[in-house]
Amino acid sequence: MNTLPATMYSVVLNHGGYSGTALEPTIKDASDWLSEAELPVPSPGPGQVLIRLRAASVNPSDIHFIKGEYGQPRVKGAPAGFEGCGDVVATGAGAETLQDQRVAFVAAGSGAWAEYVVTQGQMCIPLRPDISDEDGASQIVNPLTAMAMVDLARNDGDAFVISAANSQLGKLMCSLGRDLGLSPIALVRRPETVQPLKELGAVEVLVTSDPKIKDHFVSISTNMKPRVFLDAVADQLSEQLFCAMPNGARWVIYGKLSSEMPQLTQSGQMIFMSKRIEGFWLTRWMMSTPPAEQMRVVAEVQARFADGRWKTDVSERLRLSEVVPNLASALKKSDGKVIITP
Ligand SMILES: NC(=O)c1ccc[n+]([C@@H]2O[C@H](COP(=O)([O-])OP(=O)(O)OC[C@H]3O[C@@H](n4cnc5c(N)ncnc54)[C@H](OP(=O)(O)O)[C@@H]3O)[C@@H](O)[C@H]2O)c1
């Protein structure tokens, strides 16, 4: 076994706890939220592994988290970052089978934006050799969410609505929907993304800035009868489109890409039309889905990346040392993930 260094370069949180805000996952200057630090390399406890980072991805959840707006509290001075891939270089009792494996992981003991990461063995997925490090760094959060949410949608019919459809997750869901013979109806904010999304599998693509979007949506909804709205934007337009969906429709909110808080305008929708508003959180799905079903989904995810049906679009690559000065400007680029390497 290689000797491990005593310390590691890390990008750490400036603040602890929650902030009480609920804004968009954007930042003006990463140094408001993050600093660089040299920290001791952590040791894996029972059931844990120590991973040498190959690549980490930047998800909207990371940005909500560093700003104190995510579903778990920040620990000041701890490394940021939820997801990545790397090599297991040490294991605690009970996690020995992962030694020396290249794994995709969700960071559960210390953050992913550091040269070394401790996490639970259960939060690691050994990677097939034909998966690249960049695909490996985005192998869990969005792909598992896509599989789980399209599954949820298909139980309620063929057609379903996806907002922010040009997000990485939206694209995964459009192509998965097509492959399963379903009819994704996509909402985007940029007209130039309409054609690429149709090619990926969306049956209809509506641009949210179109002044006639509500009329178009009413006619599509009347014809196709979508009963599930998978919504990462959750603004007033979302509420209006939900009101235009048929009886029994479900508004599944799973992200907050807009800071606009919607108001309910028609309570009769819930009373007389049996509509429901609910949330989806992958963490809860992982806690409630039997391990055998999770393993089936993980295998399907890797197969889709390995044969090219899914891929990670990369908008920018940053070294760990470039995160604090350059993350804010890197995130301004559309259409892809920021990938961090040591
Ligand atoms: N609840 C869960 O368990 C869970 C799990 C995974 C992801 N998520 C959520 O899923 C969403 C997408 O994640 P991702 O990783 O795929 O994001 P991403 O691709 O890294 O970035 C979001 C993309 O969405 C588009 N967008 C941003 N604001 C928008 C708005 N107001 N209206 C329409 N489109 C907008 C932008 O694309 P354009 O510039 O091309 O429009 C942007 O590039 C996020 O909200 C994330 O938090 C939730």
Side-chain angles (χ1 to χ4, degrees):
M1 197 175 94
N2 294 334
T3 319
L4 294 170
T7 63
M8 62 180 190
Y9 186 89
S10 319
V11 177
V12 300
L13 299 161
N14 286 355
H15 309 280
Y18 297 103
S19 62
T21 56
L23 302 169
E24 315 171 358
T26 54
I27 46 172
K28 285 200 181 78
D29 185 344
S31 68
D32 293 340
W33 312 103
L34 300 168
S35 305
E36 53 182 25
E38 198 68 26
L39 296 181
V41 171
S43 299
Q48 293 186 322
V49 298
L50 179 70
I51 297 166
R52 184 188 295 120
L53 187 74
R54 284 176 180 250
S57 54
V58 180
N59 290 315
S61 52
D62 291 306
I63 305 304
H64 284 302
F65 179 64
I66 65 177
K67 292 164 70 182
E69 299 173 347
Y70 197 63
Q72 63 195 70
R74 294 166 294 182
V75 177
K76 186 177 174 178
F82 285 132
E83 184 176 24
C85 90
D87 302 298
V88 174
V89 292
T91 56
E96 294 86 353
T97 53
L98 289 166
Q99 180 69 41
D100 297 329
Q101 299 223 41
R102 188 175 66 114
V103 295
F105 66 85
V106 171
S110 65
W113 300 354
E115 288 174 298
Y116 291 86
V117 185
V118 154
T119 192
Q120 297 302 122
Q122 286 165 330
M123 305 301 267
C124 296
I125 299 174
L127 283 168
R128 291 167 46 149
D130 46 5
I131 307 258
S132 70
D133 287 347
E134 287 184 347
D135 281 341
S138 311
Q139 192 73 189
I140 300 179
V141 176
N142 280 343
L144 294 191
T145 303
M147 298 288 286
M149 288 203 304
V150 171
D151 206 40
L152 176 158
R154 74 202 283 213
N155 287 330
D156 264 328
D158 288 347
F160 59 101
V161 184
I162 304 172
S163 67
N166 200 51
S167 65
Q168 293 304 297
L169 178 50
K171 289 190 265 193
L172 299 181
M173 292 195 289
C174 284
S175 64
L176 179 60
R178 177 204 43 209
D179 294 350
L180 294 172
L182 307 174
S183 302
I185 300 164
L187 308 173
V188 296
R189 59 180 181 177
R190 292 188 298 125
E192 60 270 35
T193 63
V194 170
Q195 195 50 35
L197 274 174
K198 284 193 169 164
E199 284 161 21
L200 261 186
V203 170
E204 299 281 354
V205 185
L206 298 178
V207 182
T208 50
S209 56
D210 176 352
K212 291 211 161 16
I213 185 172
K214 283 189 224 160
D215 296 340
H216 292 319
F217 186 82
V218 166
S219 107
I220 289 168
S221 179
T222 307
N223 288 334
M224 295 175 65
K225 303 216 172 346
R227 289 221 154 65
V228 172
F229 180 9
L230 302 173
D231 187 14
V233 178
D235 60 3
Q236 200 61 47
L237 178 63
S238 294
E239 193 268 351
Q240 294 291 293
L241 301 185
F242 174 61
C243 287
M245 289 174 71
N247 277 344
R250 297 161 67 186
W251 181 8
V252 182
I253 298 175
Y254 69 92
K256 196 72 195 92
L257 290 171
S258 165
S259 56
E260 183 181 279
M261 259 316 151
Q263 289 191 343
L264 294 180
T265 57
Q266 303 180 36
S267 43
Q269 294 260 331
M270 266 59 73
I271 302 168
F272 305 118
M273 295 177 74
S274 301
K275 293 194 181 182
R276 278 185 283 157
I277 304 173
E278 60 196 274
F280 176 89
W281 192 27
L282 181 64
T283 306
R284 216 169 34 235
W285 180 88
M286 291 175 103
M287 288 189 291
S288 61
T289 303
E293 171 62 5
Q294 293 194 34
M295 282 167 70
R296 186 195 65 75
V297 172
V298 162
E300 170 66 13
V301 163
Q302 290 210 40
R304 294 184 71 86
F305 277 97
D307 65 19
R309 280 174 291 167
W310 275 352
K311 69 180 168 61
T312 303
D313 296 322
V314 179
S315 58
E316 178 85 64
R317 295 173 178 83
L318 297 178
R319 309 296 298 267
L320 275 171
S321 58
E322 296 170 324
V323 171
V324 176
N326 296 340
L327 181 61
S329 59
L331 287 171
K332 291 202 172 76
K333 294 188 181 168
S334 273
D335 230 359
K337 286 277 159 220
V338 176
I339 296 287
I340 298 172
T341 52

